[in-house]
Amino acid sequence: MATDFNRVIDRHGTYSTQWDYAADRFGRADVLPFSISDTDFPVPEEVEKVLLARLRHPIFGYTRWNHDDYKQSVLRWFQRDGSAQGMDSEWVVYSPSVIFSVASFIRLLTAPGEGVIVCTPMYDAFYGVIEGNGRALVPVRQASAQEGYGLDWEALERAASNPRNRVMLLTNPHNPTGKVYTRSELERIHAICRAHDITVVSDDIHRDMVYGPARYAPLLDVSTEGALIVCSSSKTFNTPGLIGSYCIIPDPILRERFLFELKQKNALSSVSILGMEAQICAYNRCESYVRDLVTHVRGNMEYLAEYVEKNLPGLRFSMPQGTYLAWIDVSGLGLASSELQDRLVNRGRVGIMSGSAYGDAGYIRMNVACPRSKLEDGLDRVRASLAE
């Protein structure tokens, strides 16, 4: 059944990180938030029905994920568009979150003090997970859409040639720039890393939010050697509160090491019942939801681009290739990041993340996965905050 993505749903009073705890990020609660990466959309009706049916069973005991229903749903999702045809369901393993997976692979594949190569700016949680585990962050510049999306290949070559760097953490599509790496770019990245025995960990959690003519290609289409994917259905179907993600690990030795980390070291092998049910249903039955979602968010991105061009001089924005995150260049305003945030929050009452959280204070990151009316209100608030 078609989903109304313009339906406004009040999320206050649901312990929502984005809505109920906006003051944690912006210093006040009365802002209209466009911050954390969940959406303001209902889950697919098919998922809601499955969850309600499961809730009618009054027992919620320890639950197994290691079965065909779970793993085949992931396999089907990756193969439905013709990619990952050589993927084996045995490569699929559960993880409670993508960040848990990333942290685990950093510990499994590197020693304290060794380096993790990343494309910056990057998802803010990766800074903490790399440095919090005592590893060195090795940045390689990824340009924005406004800058032509170039990757600093020379910097990547230099970083890969350093024997202290053992892992490359890739995000595809890239958060926050929205870059979707082509197959040829993935081949080049993988070749550079393999030449120096570096494992590429590809976070593909935004894999479904891609706008044509760009097309998502999984890293495992390029090679299964020195490569793995961490992912989740939670961004696409708005289920992060149900908990659950997965990894696709072709290397059987690394897969067993990860499962030891999951089960023996952290006792996290029992899956969330509702998270598992939601993923299986979404991946088996909700392709039309994703098509409509992408169409709606693309419309929001196009509206944003037109609004910026007409009403917000000093800002630059180009349509991204993927994600529902708008990476907006604010360097033309001539304002310090702190002053801009003060204006947005205290004058416009709008909560948009400063690019400094991701590694570039010349940008802001705006989550546009919302009804159009919210976006219109938010952009009018941005305009008011910048008026002299």
Side-chain angles (χ1 to χ4, degrees), residues 188-209:
R188 186 174 178 183
I189 290 169
H190 183 264
I192 291 170
C193 289
R194 288 311 296 152
H196 300 282
D197 197 28
I198 292 170
T199 301
V200 183
V201 177
S202 186
D203 170 9
D204 293 12
I205 198 168
H206 290 281
R207 68 177 305 283
D208 302 312
M209 292 302 306

Side-chain angles (χ1 to χ4, degrees), residues 21-31 342 345-347 349:
Y21 298 96
D24 292 349
R25 280 180 166 77
F26 302 110
R28 60 190 307 156
D30 60 343
V31 296
D342 180 68
V345 171
N346 296 311
R347 186 185 294 183
R349 301 290 197 273

Side-chain angles (χ1 to χ4, degrees), residues 282-299:
Y283 276 179
N284 287 340
R285 298 170 53 192
C286 298
E287 290 184 42
S288 62
Y289 177 93
V290 179
R291 288 193 296 269
D292 293 344
L293 169 68
V294 172
T295 298
H296 176 85
V297 178
R298 180 174 197 143

Side-chain angles (χ1 to χ4, degrees), residues 48-289:
E48 183 178 7
K49 288 180 178 178
V50 163
L51 294 177
L52 289 172
R54 184 59 186 84
L55 286 169
R56 293 188 187 99
H57 191 294
I59 297 176
F60 304 94
Y62 291 117
T63 304
R64 182 71 61 89
W65 62 265
N66 195 1
H67 49 75
D68 277 348
D69 287 348
Y70 178 82
K71 294 190 287 188
Q72 287 292 337
S73 72
V74 174
L75 200 65
R76 177 194 173 279
W77 194 249
F78 272 76
Q79 292 178 343
R80 78 192 196 287
D81 57 3
S83 64
Q85 291 302 309
M87 187 185 297
D88 190 317
S89 64
E90 289 304 306
W91 301 353
V92 179
V93 299
Y94 164 79
S95 172
S97 75
V98 164
I99 290 296
F100 174 85
S101 302
V102 169
S104 296
F105 288 118
I106 287 173
R107 291 191 296 268
L108 289 170
L109 296 167
T110 66
E114 290 186 333
V116 178
I117 302 168
V118 294
C119 298
T120 56
M122 69 174 180
Y123 175 43
D124 55 331
F126 288 155
Y127 289 99
V129 82
I130 292 169
E131 295 170 346
N133 277 286
R135 272 61 173 178
L137 190 151
V138 183
V140 172
R141 177 72 180 180
Q142 170 60 63
S144 67
Q146 292 90 316
E147 300 169 319
Y149 271 145
L151 183 66
D152 190 339
W153 293 102
E154 291 184 2
L156 177 57
E157 291 273 9
R158 288 194 301 272
S161 65
N162 185 337
R164 295 288 294 171
N165 301 333
R166 308 302 312 139
V167 164
M168 180 174 183
L169 176 56
L170 185 69
T171 57
N172 183 33
H174 184 262
N175 176 4
T177 70
K179 165 66 177 171
V180 178
Y181 295 96
T182 65
R183 183 185 176 105
S184 62
E185 288 169 332
L186 292 173
E187 288 172 345
R188 186 174 178 183
I189 290 169
H190 183 264
I192 291 170
C193 289
R194 288 311 296 152
H196 300 282
D197 197 28
I198 292 170
T199 301
V200 183
V201 177
S202 186
D203 170 9
D204 293 12
I205 198 168
H206 290 281
R207 68 177 305 283
D208 302 312
M209 292 302 306
V210 175
Y211 312 109
R215 183 175 179 180
Y216 164 77
L219 178 65
L220 297 182
D221 266 9
V222 170
S223 179
T224 59
E225 295 182 7
L228 62 99
I229 288 174
V230 295
C231 198
S232 174
S233 61
S234 62
K235 297 290 186 194
T236 303
F237 299 100
N238 203 25
T239 58
L242 298 181
I243 308 300
S245 75
Y246 54 87
C247 310
I248 307 174
I249 316 170
D251 184 334
I253 295 175
L254 182 58
R255 189 164 64 245
E256 287 304 313
R257 291 179 68 200
F258 176 81
L259 288 173
F260 186 86
E261 185 86 5
L262 180 77
K263 297 163 65 176
Q264 274 69 33
K265 285 192 174 182
N266 293 284
L268 291 171
S269 58
S270 183
V271 71
S272 159
I273 295 173
L274 299 183
M276 181 183 70
E277 293 278 10
Q279 176 183 298
I280 291 172
C281 175
Y283 276 179
N284 287 340
R285 298 170 53 192
C286 298
E287 290 184 42
S288 62
Y289 177 93

Side-chain angles (χ1 to χ4, degrees), residues 300-321:
N300 278 357
M301 289 286 188
E302 292 169 345
Y303 179 86
L304 170 61
E306 182 178 353
Y307 190 100
V308 168
E309 183 177 2
K310 290 183 177 179
N311 302 295
L312 297 172
L315 273 61
R316 290 194 307 148
F317 174 70
S318 297
M319 179 80 188
Q321 295 174 337

